[in-house]
Amino acid sequence: MAAATLQGAERTEAAPSPAPADPGAPVADAWSPTPEELASVRTTVARLRAAYPSVDAATVEATVAAAYDSFRQAKVRKYVPILAERRSREALAAAGSTADPAREGP
């Protein structure tokens, strides 16, 4: 399943149309992960690839990236890894993937 489909799986409402761009407005920063967050992303991808062996690796990586991206504006970063992993698992399960029960993580 395409990453774009998984990314919007939990959203049911239509997004409001964006306001016209203001040249003086600050530009929204893209998620720029710290080295610790990058390590968490790699660990999460590895754990989910092992838990969902039937899912393409690129799909798992895109799902995890989308989950982390959804928390890019979180001010408290401590819980982002576990929240992103849970969101990724939910998206993979909603897509019809079955996890290997012997390899399930937290």
Side-chain angles (χ1 to χ4, degrees), residues 12-58:
T12 56
E13 297 178 16
S17 59
D22 178 11
V27 177
D29 292 333
W31 178 58
S32 88
T34 65
E36 294 82 16
E37 286 178 324
L38 285 175
S40 293
V41 169
R42 285 191 294 270
T43 302
T44 301
V45 167
R47 193 176 2 235
L48 292 179
R49 285 183 62 193
Y52 293 89
S54 64
V55 179
D56 181 47

Side-chain angles (χ1 to χ4, degrees), residues 12 14 24 30 35 39 56 63 65-66 69 71 76 84 88-89 98-99 102:
T12 56
D56 181 47
T63 302
D69 188 52
F71 293 105
V76 178
S88 298
R89 284 183 185 277
T98 56

